[in-house]
Amino acid sequence: MSDEKKLFKVTIDNITVEVQPGTTILNAARQIGGDIVPPAMCYYTSLKGSGGKCRTCLVKVAAGSAADPRPMPKLVASCRTNVMDGMVVENITNPSVLEARKGVVELLLINHPLDCPICDQAGECHLQDLSYEHGVESTRYEFNRRTFDKHDLGPYIQLHMTRCILCYRCVYVADQISNKRVHGVLDRGDHSEIATYIKQSLDNDFIGNVIDVCPVGALTDRTFRFKNRVWFTKPVDAHRDCPTCKGKVTLWLRGDEVLRSTARKDQWGEVSEWICNTCRFEKKKTSDWIIEGPTVVNRQSVIGQGHYVNITKPRETISDVMGGRPPKLLMDIHNVSGVNNVDLSEIPGPASGKTFEEDPHAFATNPTDRKKPELNSNHELE
Amino acid sequence: MGRKILIDKVHIEGIRFFDTYRKNGGYASLEKALKISPAEVVEEVKKSGLRGRGGAGFPTGLKWSFLAKPEGIQRYLVVNADESEPGTFKDRYLMEFIPHLLIEGMIVSSYALGANTAYIYIRGEYAWIIDILQKAIDEAKEQSFLGKNILGSGYDCEIFIHRGAGAYICGEETALLESLEGKRGNPRIKPPFPAVKGLWDCPTVVNNVETIAAVVPIINEGGDEYALIGIGKSTGTKLISACGNIKKPGVYEIDMTISVEEFIYSDEYCGGIPNGRRLKACIPGGSSVPILPANLLLKTAKGETRLMNYESLADGGFQSGSMMGSGGFIVLDEDQCIVRHTYTLARFYRHESCGQCSPCREGTGWMEKILLNIERGKGKMSDIDLLWDIQSKIEGNTICPLGDAAAWPVAAAIRHFRDEFEWHVQNPEECLRRNYGLAGYAEPLEAVIS
Ligand SMILES: Cc1cc2nc3c(=O)[nH]c(=O)nc-3n(C[C@H](O)[C@H](O)[C@H](O)COP(=O)(O)O)c2cc1C
Ligand code: SF4
Ligand code: SF4
Ligand code: FES
């Protein structure tokens, strides 16, 4: 077709792709896929104005365009920078990008409570993924972390402000998806918080979607609270005839029990179709739904570790561009940590320190734990 | 004796009011401008070499020529009177004592840009100045210098004042526009720049108060004439607000040919350092720019005399130079503690960060905490390297320059005064007992000009 716009050629980590003009670097990278895709904690394709805030998607533009091949002086947010024809971008091939990203991850974590063991989001948390893939093992932060009280924003949603990374996604959802926004960011700087101005509930048909867009466990579903760890639940695609939304959801089952219902997410963890509160919070019986089949679980934290049907492991480009270095994936944690050199299913009852003590590899990465013989005797008593 | 063209008339009694201002040559530039085309006014400003006085020093004529001019779409001029940078108080002086100069400059500039509406975004704490400016606007309107069909030219212009609510970040031009639109003052992600998509998505020029005021003498005397004042790319005069350990704090108009030494020690300007103390360091351009120790302040690393202008102050880059910035000149004598001083600044930036982007939001708080520890004698040697690392993770990785502005003072303090930080770590008790740090950097300088 003659009126079709000329495609732009952009090279990201030595891989060239042709994209429509107006595409962001991030989306061009997503078209390539694999490891060269910068992590995005605040950008959300369907939310206008999102992105640019978390700074995890920073990349180096080594050449601005074919017409003007000068590099850009600073790292740019790939989610908010459009490609130009002939642009050359460096992500994982540029050490300064990785260093800056490591810095961002460290800064995102200094005030994070790291309460994953009691957080409902654990297992599908983007901050967990990000920290594991791009962060360092320990923190240099030696001060008290910022704290807030947790709030119930109405009967369905709970806010743990301590976990929030201020990505503003929930604010955009309330603005653009639901018909009324009663919450937003109060105050500024490191003391800013997501809140309703006067304690008020978030209440309208589509507000439940804030839970799905929240990359961390700051906004969680009260109807699912502490019910189960996500990796023990089984996701299936289901639909129902809903007068408010399209009624296409993912149900998270245990046996025949519906523990939770969420919108369906694509491979980047983004909701493809918003669902209404009724589908999300009210319909908790399998008889409410027509079940289509198992959900395809993508690279989503440790829930990928569950033995799901149809799991698609991501196509990794990292070994191509990094001279053979394999990717670090949280879903492969068991291969890395050595903890699971023990087959847990073989042990009667819960595993204890003793279980691992007997395994020569188990504590290979943490020698200090070996110096605790009293642990043994304690366990003997249990 | 430097030339004065902005505040030369402030001493005239009643200059704040229209009649006196007019009698002393006021609004002549407007009459002159209306006789030529807007493009010619822009051309004069280009020729003048005027650079933005708000901090970045971007050539004003160039900025004006970038303004998009789509048919049928409003354009706006917004004057940035948020002036919240610690150490900077020059705009306040202009607006308080000679408000009509700003109003006149605004009408001329709006005419040049083809804007029919102009705003003054003023920091909320300047409450009484709002009244002064409003009076000036009302007077100008009564005299038909403002409003509909100005002086029979057919050109309309209205000026509105918008009061900020006490946020430094609202001085950043895109945050300012958000705030003006009634939203939370978060900086926008650029591009698009305000010249293309500014206030209510219309093309907008944001300029500092002093920049706009300087348009008046430029039109009166001609751009070429204005460009003769100053040196190199630092044309015209600059208002410097001097404070700290000097005998005569205040606002001074300089032409940018004088040396830093003359500015500090001559009686025409700061009058030297009081109580017989020696000069230790100076922040030459408002709290955001790097601090310089006395030796590097007076002479560049190459050994040349450092002058009070854009190029000379920046000579040596951040390794051994600083910036002209907004002209907030803060002088520290030998009794001042650099660590405490840096902590104070870090505290300011932590408090003023808008919190949008993670490096600035989290990093500023972290730096403040570490600096407080060091200042209180609870620091560790590794904290100094950690501080350095944190600032490097913030700088250049944020949405707006506030992140850089928070990082630079810390970087410069460590770069030039590292042993003072180390002294704090090694002498924890003394840190608490005495109120000042080391004076090792003070050069035994005599006042050269008497
Ligand atoms: C955090 C921050 C605060 C600022 N505060 C001011 C201010 O108070 N006044 C000002 O004129 N410019 C301020 N600026 C600079 C403006 O963004 C903008 O560059 C300036 O108003 C442009 O005017 P000029 O070209 O006349 O200098 C600030 C910038 C930043 C990043
Ligand atoms: S609550 Fe969640 S979605 Fe909202 S800003 Fe915080 S992290 Fe983002
Ligand atoms: S750098 Fe700081 S002030 Fe500027 S947008 Fe980011 S958080 Fe806000
Ligand atoms: S995803 Fe680009 S800055 Fe957050």
Side-chain angles (χ1 to χ4, degrees):
Chain A
M1 272 195 289
S2 58
D3 59 337
E4 199 172 275
K5 276 197 225 144
K6 184 180 167 286
L7 293 180
F8 281 176
K9 248 199 195 108
V10 49
T11 306
I12 304 173
D13 284 339
N14 305 324
I15 302 171
T16 304
V17 64
E18 291 199 333
V19 297
Q20 292 288 341
T23 308
T24 58
I25 297 175
L26 179 71
N27 281 330
R30 284 181 175 186
Q31 286 182 26
I32 298 172
D35 265 292
I36 58 114
V37 183
M41 298 294 288
C42 66
Y43 171 80
Y44 214 77
T45 314
S46 46
L47 298 174
K48 207 171 146 275
S50 67
K53 301 191 197 308
C54 70
R55 317 306 283 178
T56 56
C57 71
L58 291 174
V59 294
K60 172 80 188 168
V61 176
S65 68
D68 180 4
R70 282 177 305 172
M72 292 192 185
K74 293 179 184 177
L75 303 183
V76 300
S78 60
C79 65
R80 289 293 294 260
T81 310
N82 285 355
V83 298
M84 302 294 281
D85 197 21
M87 187 184 260
V88 179
V89 178
E90 293 166 359
N91 179 22
I92 56 174
T93 47
N94 187 322
S96 72
V97 171
L98 296 178
E99 185 63 20
R101 190 167 293 149
K102 211 161 83 185
V104 173
V105 176
E106 179 175 31
L107 289 166
L108 275 176
L109 288 176
I110 60 171
N111 276 305
H112 191 83
L114 298 174
D115 56 348
C116 311
I118 54 150
C119 176
D120 278 331
Q121 189 88 1
E124 53 179 11
C125 173
H126 288 239
L127 190 59
Q128 281 185 324
D129 291 356
L130 182 78
S131 326
Y132 189 77
E133 291 177 36
H134 303 281
V136 287
E137 291 87 11
S138 59
T139 182
R140 297 178 288 177
Y141 190 71
E142 296 176 341
F143 302 92
N144 286 343
R145 283 159 200 257
R146 189 168 61 221
T147 54
F148 296 91
D149 289 338
K150 58 175 186 275
H151 287 289
D152 285 335
L153 303 170
Y156 296 130
I157 304 169
Q158 189 166 63
L159 170 69
H160 283 257
M161 188 53 216
T162 44
R163 297 173 187 156
C164 171
I165 59 158
L166 284 165
C167 69
Y168 281 65
R169 282 177 181 174
C170 59
V171 182
Y172 291 117
V173 165
D175 252 348
Q176 297 167 23
I177 311 300
S178 74
N179 55 11
K180 192 161 118 232
R181 173 157 80 87
V182 294
H183 85 287
V185 179
L186 300 188
D187 224 320
R188 66 176 178 232
D190 67 352
H191 36 298
S192 49
E193 58 177 309
I194 292 283
T196 52
Y197 185 52
I198 300 163
K199 270 189 195 164
Q200 216 178 352
S201 54
L202 298 187
D203 178 26
N204 63 56
D205 278 351
F206 281 83
I207 198 68
N209 289 297
V210 295
I211 299 169
D212 279 343
V213 298
C214 186
V216 294
L219 293 169
T220 48
D221 182 343
R222 288 187 67 197
T223 66
F224 178 62
R225 193 168 148 70
F226 296 150
K227 284 254 174 78
N228 217 315
R229 307 261 44 167
V230 288
W231 58 87
F232 292 140
T233 61
K234 194 170 93 186
V236 294
D237 285 351
H239 65 267
R240 66 181 271 268
D241 218 357
C242 175
T244 324
C245 68
K246 290 199 178 141
K248 288 189 192 162
V249 301
T250 298
L251 296 181
W252 301 78
L253 306 174
R254 194 178 55 198
D256 271 347
E257 201 185 343
V258 178
L259 291 183
R260 173 171 83 141
S261 152
T262 67
R264 294 185 192 172
K265 293 185 180 176
D266 66 12
Q267 57 170 322
W268 312 113
E270 293 183 7
V271 168
S272 23
E273 274 162 321
W274 308 108
I275 62 168
C276 70
N277 285 3
T278 318
C279 287
R280 183 186 300 275
F281 300 120
E282 312 276 346
K283 301 292 171 192
K284 293 287 174 87
K285 289 202 292 288
T286 26
S287 58
D288 294 329
W289 297 96
I290 299 156
I291 294 181
E292 297 164 18
T295 301
V296 177
V297 174
N298 289 290
R299 180 186 188 159
Q300 278 291 306
S301 274
V302 287
I303 65 168
Q305 188 62 26
H307 297 289
Y308 299 123
V309 194
N310 288 344
I311 182 159
T312 52
K313 283 236 185 185
R315 186 172 75 82
E316 299 305 340
T317 40
I318 192 162
S319 44
D320 298 345
V321 292
M322 296 298 283
R325 168 165 100 57
K328 274 206 270 179
L329 289 180
L330 192 47
M331 64 204 269
D332 296 333
I333 187 165
H334 292 192
N335 310 341
V336 182
S337 73
V339 166
N340 264 28
N341 293 344
V342 179
D343 189 345
L344 292 176
S345 61
E346 303 273 294
I347 306 166
S352 67
K354 188 162 178 260
T355 321
F356 298 105
E357 198 77 351
E358 283 159 3
D359 177 66
H361 304 293
F363 285 113
T365 49
N366 198 352
T368 48
D369 284 16
R370 284 193 167 280
K371 298 193 199 96
K372 286 183 193 157
E374 69 276 24
L375 203 79
N376 266 333
S377 46
N378 282 347
H379 279 272
E380 226 75 78
L381 296 172
E382 265 173 24
Chain B
M1 168 102 192
R3 208 168 142 192
K4 289 198 176 119
I5 48 178
L6 289 174
I7 54 171
D8 52 336
K9 298 192 186 110
V10 280
H11 62 277
I12 299 172
E13 173 130 7
I15 195 77
R16 198 180 271 170
F17 302 107
F18 182 85
D19 292 338
T20 318
Y21 182 74
R22 178 79 178 136
K23 263 187 227 123
N24 285 281
Y27 288 99
S29 75
L30 178 58
E31 289 169 312
K32 201 170 162 192
L34 290 175
K35 290 198 193 95
I36 55 177
S37 74
E40 283 169 307
V41 179
V42 175
E43 200 46 44
E44 288 304 320
V45 174
K46 266 194 177 162
K47 276 195 270 179
S48 75
L50 174 67
R51 293 170 68 169
R53 306 292 196 230
F58 192 81
T60 307
L62 197 59
K63 188 178 198 167
W64 287 12
S65 63
F66 287 155
L67 186 69
K69 299 196 170 74
E71 272 307 305
I73 292 186
Q74 280 279 347
R75 275 165 250 155
Y76 295 102
L77 169 71
V78 177
V79 168
N80 190 341
D82 194 55
E83 195 165 62
S84 313
E85 175 111 338
T88 309
F89 46 90
K90 64 188 177 65
D91 297 343
R92 159 183 168 172
Y93 187 82
L94 262 184
M95 295 187 288
E96 192 171 353
F97 293 106
I98 184 159
H100 278 286
L101 186 68
L102 174 63
I103 304 300
E104 181 180 355
M106 282 180 76
I107 307 169
V108 173
S109 310
S110 303
Y111 173 73
L113 298 166
N116 300 108
T117 312
Y119 293 90
I120 303 173
Y121 186 97
I122 188 163
R123 73 176 288 193
E125 290 87 338
Y126 285 175
W128 76 102
I129 302 180
I130 299 174
D131 298 335
I132 296 173
L133 287 172
Q134 190 58 51
K135 173 121 178 66
I137 291 172
D138 294 344
E139 284 179 331
K141 257 181 138 164
E142 267 165 40
Q143 306 291 332
S144 170
F145 283 90
L146 184 63
K148 289 245 172 302
N149 192 13
I150 295 171
L151 301 177
S153 65
Y155 172 66
D156 305 334
C157 183
E158 292 290 345
I159 296 178
F160 300 99
I161 303 175
H162 184 94
R163 185 176 168 183
Y168 170 61
I169 190 59
C170 288
E172 198 280 334
E173 53 186 6
T174 55
L176 183 151
L177 295 175
E178 287 281 297
S179 173
L180 199 50
E181 290 180 9
K183 302 185 196 141
R184 182 185 160 84
N186 278 359
R188 296 176 183 170
I189 294 151
K190 294 182 262 190
F193 290 93
V196 179
K197 243 178 151 197
L199 190 60
W200 291 299
D201 282 353
C202 299
T204 304
V205 164
V206 183
N207 270 132
N208 176 252
V209 170
E210 190 192 342
T211 316
I212 293 297
V215 171
V216 174
I218 289 172
I219 298 304
N220 276 334
E221 305 190 18
D224 290 328
E225 193 63 25
Y226 183 90
L228 293 178
I229 314 170
I231 199 169
K233 285 195 178 131
S234 302
T235 60
T237 63
K238 173 89 186 86
L239 295 182
I240 304 288
S241 54
C243 63
N245 303 117
I246 45 175
K247 284 198 185 130
K248 289 164 51 192
V251 176
Y252 297 99
E253 183 169 3
I254 58 163
D255 78 13
M256 291 185 266
T257 56
I258 66 165
S259 69
V260 176
E261 187 165 358
E262 179 183 349
F263 185 71
I264 297 179
Y265 289 104
S266 92
D267 282 333
E268 196 189 334
Y269 302 109
C270 303
I273 316 250
N275 309 322
R277 299 247 152 68
R278 294 172 303 166
L279 173 67
K280 176 174 183 178
C282 170
I283 302 177
S287 65
S288 305
V289 310
I291 190 169
L292 283 181
N295 48 354
L296 284 175
L297 176 71
L298 303 179
K299 293 228 186 313
T300 65
K302 287 178 245 153
E304 290 159 8
T305 305
R306 208 184 276 280
L307 305 179
M308 293 286 288
N309 65 39
Y310 289 97
E311 292 86 20
S312 185
L313 283 175
D315 189 286
F318 281 2
Q319 280 308 314
S320 63
S322 183
M323 276 166 82
M324 183 90 192
S326 56
F329 196 83
I330 309 170
V331 179
L332 282 78
D333 74 17
E334 57 186 311
D335 279 359
Q336 303 308 314
C337 170
I338 297 293
V339 177
R340 167 171 299 195
H341 173 83
T342 312
Y343 161 67
T344 312
L345 291 182
R347 187 165 144 240
F348 172 80
Y349 288 108
R350 196 270 299 157
H351 188 256
E352 297 297 337
S353 157
C354 84
Q356 254 193 118
C357 44
S358 10
C360 169
R361 177 182 67 237
E362 305 294 348
T364 50
W366 194 1
M367 292 198 302
E368 182 204 339
K369 291 195 178 89
I370 297 174
L371 279 162
L372 181 63
N373 261 1
I374 299 180
E375 206 267 332
R376 297 261 167 92
K378 293 184 202 149
K380 301 192 290 284
M381 276 303 173
S382 59
D383 283 347
I384 305 170
D385 294 324
L386 180 56
L387 266 180
W388 182 268
D389 195 51
I390 300 171
Q391 70 78 23
S392 74
K393 295 279 165 49
I394 302 175
E395 197 220 328
N397 293 340
T398 56
I399 296 177
C400 88
L402 189 139
D404 303 337
W408 293 340
V410 175
I414 298 177
R415 183 181 295 121
H416 299 303
F417 296 94
R418 193 183 174 101
D419 54 355
E420 194 156 326
F421 284 82
E422 289 172 358
W423 181 86
H424 275 74
V425 173
Q426 283 156 351
N427 301 278
E429 277 112 56
E430 205 157 344
C431 287
L432 288 176
R433 204 150 17 88
R434 80 182 208 205
N435 208 3
Y436 51 93
L438 294 172
Y441 281 84
E443 297 271 285
L445 287 162
E446 295 299 314
V448 219
I449 300 149
S450 49

